[in-house]
Amino acid sequence: MKKKLLCMVLSLACMFTLPGCQSTTSGTEDGTTGKTQENKQEEKIKLRYSFWGSTNEKDAITKSCEAFTAQNPNIEVEIIHIPADYEAKLSAMIAGGEEPDLANLRDYFAMPLAESGKLYNILDLIDQDPDIDRKDYLDFAYRYYSPDAAYGLNTATELFAMFYNKKIFENAGVEGLPSSVEDALTMDEFIALAQKLTLDSQGRNAADPDFDPTNIVQYGLMFDFGVQQYMGAVYSNEGSYVSEDGMKWTLNQPQSVEALQTISDLVNVYHVAPNPSELKALPSLAVALQTDKAAMIWAGAWVALDLGLGDTEFDVGVLPVFKEGVYATCPAQGTAGIFKSTQHPEETFKLWKWLMDPGNNIDLYASGLWMPLLTDYYQEKDLLDTWATVAPAHPSGYMGSHVEVVLDGYVAANPSGYVKNYTEINALVTPALESAFLGNESVQEALDRIAPDVEKLLKGRYDK
C-alpha cells in the first residue's frame, strides 16, 4: 500500500513539475489547447518592407522577397510600394505607430530617425553576425549618423552616368560617349556635342544661328536637377557643399558656382536641355531616351532596368569633367534601415542581409536595377560576370562608366548623408537653384540671397 501511494505522489509531482514528464499539449484557462513548442517555432512571421520606385522596380523587388520566403517558409514579406510622396506617407505611418520593419530611406529623412534612436545601428548587427564582416561591403556605402554608428548601407551602389541613344548619335554623325574617366569629355566638348544633338522642329541643331529654342523636338540632354547630378559637377570642379567642419556653407563659393552656372547655361544659354518647368511636361528620362525626345540622359544606374526592357539601342558613358583628371559622380539616396520598433529584429536583419547579397537575388543586379555593395562582385571576374556584363541592361560602356568608377574611388559623398540640418538647408537651396535654372537670376545671385539663412542652420557634419 505504501508503495502504491508513493508511486501516485511521484507521478503527480512529475506531471506538475517536470517538463519531461508533461504531455506535449496543455490546456489553457479558457479551455483551448495550447501550441506545442514546435508549432511556435513554425509560426508564420510577417515582415513589412517599404520602398519607392517604378513598377519594374516593384516587380523585381517583389520577386526577390518571394525567393526569400521560399528559403525561409516561416517568414512572409508584405510589400509596401509607395511610388509617390514616399516620405509624407511613411511619416504618417510612423506617427500612427505603423512603421514597417524594414524601409528604404533617403538620408535626409533617415538621419533624424537614427539620431533619435528609432533605427538600429547596422554596425552592431554586422559585428554580431558570424557570417559577414564590415569590410565585405564598399566603404562609401555606409550611412553614418555619427563617426561610429551607421543606420545602414546604400540599398545599392547607385551612381550617375550619361546614358545615350545610339541611333540618334549615328544619325547626327557623332561618336558615342567615352566610357573611361581618362577619356572623359571636357565641359566645352560636351556642350558642343549636346548642341549637335538638339534639334528644333525644322531639323536645325542648337549650333545653327537660325535654331528656334521655342520649338525643340529633340533635346541633346535631359536630367532631373537633383543634388546627385549637380554635386557631381560641383565636385568635378573642386567645389563643395560645406566646409570640412560643416560650419561654413561653400556652395556659393567660386568653384561651386561655376559648375552650377554651367548647368544653368545648358538650359538658358545653349538650349540643349529643358528647364525644370518644361521637364515636368516631358516623359521620364528613360522614356524620353526611348522615344527620341532626348539624345542623352544624366541618370542614375537604376535607369538601365527600364532601358533594358525597351527596344531602344542604348549605351552609357562617363560624365564630362570641368578639370582634367578630376572626376566625380554622386550616389543616390537610398538605404535600407531597420526600425527598432520591429517585433522581429532577427528575422528583419535576415531579410536585410538577403537583399544586400547579390547571390540571393542576382536578377535585381543582372536586370540593371541595382549595383552590388559587396566588394567581391567588382573584383572577382566570375561574380562580375553574373551582373555587369549581362545584356541588355549592361551595354559595352557599363564596365568603364560604372564598375571602374567604383573600383577607382570616383564615387563622391552626397551632402544629404553628411550635412546636419540638410532637410532645412535644402528647403532653401532647391527653390533658389530652381530660380537660377529657370533663368530668373544668376546662380551667384540666387545663392547669395539665401546665404544668411543657410548659415544659421549649419550645425556641423555627421561624419566628423
Side-chain angles (χ1 to χ4, degrees):
M1 185 68 180
K2 289 183 179 179
K3 286 185 179 180
K4 285 185 178 182
L5 182 61
L6 179 60
C7 287
M8 288 175 65
V9 171
L10 291 174
S11 179
L12 288 169
C14 184
M15 286 176 63
F16 288 105
T17 63
L18 299 178
C21 299
Q22 293 179 16
S23 168
T24 57
T25 61
S26 61
T28 60
E29 289 183 1
D30 61 3
T32 60
T33 301
K35 294 181 180 179
T36 66
Q37 184 65 28
E38 181 179 356
N39 287 339
K40 287 181 180 179
Q41 291 174 351
E42 293 176 353
E43 184 180 0
K44 206 69 158 165
I45 290 171
K46 177 180 280 190
L47 302 179
R48 301 167 71 236
Y49 173 35
S50 70
F51 56 90
W52 62 86
S54 69
T55 301
N56 288 331
E57 290 179 60
K58 175 192 173 185
D59 292 343
I61 292 173
T62 299
K63 183 178 178 182
S64 175
C65 289
E66 289 172 347
F68 172 78
T69 296
Q71 291 288 320
N72 303 274
N74 66 314
I75 307 175
E76 178 185 347
V77 182
E78 178 186 345
I79 294 297
I80 305 175
H81 178 231
I82 307 175
D85 300 322
Y86 184 80
E87 279 80 16
K89 293 175 181 177
L90 187 57
S91 293
M93 293 167 65
I94 295 171
E98 295 294 328
E99 61 266 34
D101 301 276
L102 181 68
N104 285 6
L105 304 167
R106 294 183 176 94
D107 296 333
Y108 60 81
F109 186 83
M111 291 299 183
L113 291 174
E115 279 194 303
S116 63
K118 294 185 182 300
L119 299 175
Y120 274 98
N121 177 3
I122 205 69
L123 301 181
D124 290 341
L125 300 181
I126 291 174
D127 290 346
Q128 293 165 13
D129 193 292
D131 299 324
I132 58 176
D133 191 275
R134 294 190 196 186
K135 69 177 183 297
D136 294 340
Y137 302 95
L138 297 167
D139 287 342
F140 64 78
Y142 287 96
R143 316 315 293 155
Y144 289 92
Y145 58 92
S146 74
D148 57 357
Y151 73 87
L153 287 88
N154 281 39
T155 309
T157 307
E158 302 292 14
L159 54 84
F160 280 67
M162 200 68 69
F163 293 82
Y164 63 97
N165 183 314
K166 294 182 71 174
K167 183 187 74 174
I168 292 177
F169 270 60
E170 290 169 4
N171 291 343
V174 296
E175 295 182 357
L177 294 174
S179 60
S180 68
V181 170
E182 292 75 15
D183 299 325
L185 298 178
T186 65
M187 189 54 69
D188 288 340
E189 291 171 334
F190 180 76
I191 290 171
L193 172 63
Q195 286 179 302
K196 291 179 182 178
L197 297 168
T198 302
L199 302 178
D200 67 14
S201 59
Q202 300 302 310
R204 296 170 296 220
N205 70 39
D208 190 316
D210 296 323
F211 174 75
D212 183 2
T214 64
N215 285 295
I216 297 174
V217 296
Q218 175 183 290
Y219 285 99
L221 173 66
M222 279 178 59
F223 56 97
D224 287 331
F225 298 93
V227 63
Q228 299 98 329
Q229 283 112 324
Y230 73 68
M231 281 309 299
V234 167
Y235 290 139
S236 174
N237 202 38
E238 298 184 328
S240 58
Y241 197 91
V242 294
S243 60
E244 282 296 313
D245 62 1
M247 297 306 294
K248 178 176 175 56
W249 194 48
T250 55
L251 197 63
N252 66 339
Q253 297 303 301
Q255 295 96 326
S256 301
V257 168
E258 181 183 15
L260 294 169
Q261 187 61 52
T262 300
I263 292 175
S264 180
D265 290 349
L266 289 171
V267 174
N268 300 298
V269 175
Y270 302 107
H271 306 292
V272 299
N275 68 37
S277 293
E278 293 166 336
L279 189 67
K280 293 174 183 176
L282 292 166
S284 69
L285 298 186
V287 173
L289 196 77
Q290 292 169 328
T291 56
D292 297 346
K293 294 283 192 301
M296 298 180 286
I297 56 172
W298 184 358
W302 62 88
V303 79
L305 170 65
D306 292 328
L307 294 178
L309 293 173
D311 297 326
T312 303
E313 192 175 0
F314 74 98
D315 210 329
V316 61
V318 293
L319 301 172
V321 296
F322 282 87
K323 297 185 179 181
E324 187 175 351
V326 182
Y327 187 87
T329 180
C330 206
Q333 309 170 50
T335 305
I338 301 175
F339 279 92
K340 283 190 176 179
S341 58
T342 179
Q343 298 298 304
H344 310 289
E346 182 179 344
E347 290 82 4
T348 304
F349 184 56
K350 194 171 188 178
L351 174 60
W352 182 93
K353 287 196 300 177
W354 173 276
L355 293 169
M356 297 299 111
D357 185 350
N360 293 328
N361 40 83
I362 198 63
D363 285 351
L364 286 173
Y365 303 86
S367 68
L369 176 59
W370 287 353
M371 294 175 64
L373 297 174
L374 289 171
T375 306
D376 287 350
Y377 276 80
Y378 294 86
Q379 296 177 337
E380 298 183 13
K381 188 178 185 306
D382 59 332
L383 295 177
L384 192 62
D385 287 344
T386 63
W387 69 280
T389 61
V390 178
H394 302 91
S396 61
Y398 193 90
M399 287 292 292
S401 62
H402 287 74
V403 174
E404 294 299 329
V405 164
V406 169
L407 288 174
D408 293 339
Y410 290 117
V411 181
N414 191 317
S416 66
Y418 62 83
V419 176
K420 292 187 175 182
N421 276 349
Y422 176 82
T423 300
E424 293 81 0
I425 294 170
N426 190 53
L428 297 172
V429 173
T430 295
L433 284 179
E434 181 166 325
S435 176
F437 295 153
L438 288 169
N440 297 329
E441 56 188 321
S442 72
V443 168
Q444 190 73 68
E445 291 168 339
L447 297 184
D448 285 348
R449 173 167 49 81
I450 63 170
D453 292 327
V454 171
E455 292 287 347
K456 294 175 185 176
L457 293 170
L458 294 175
K459 299 295 182 183
R461 300 171 59 131
Y462 288 110
D463 58 348
K464 300 294 182 180

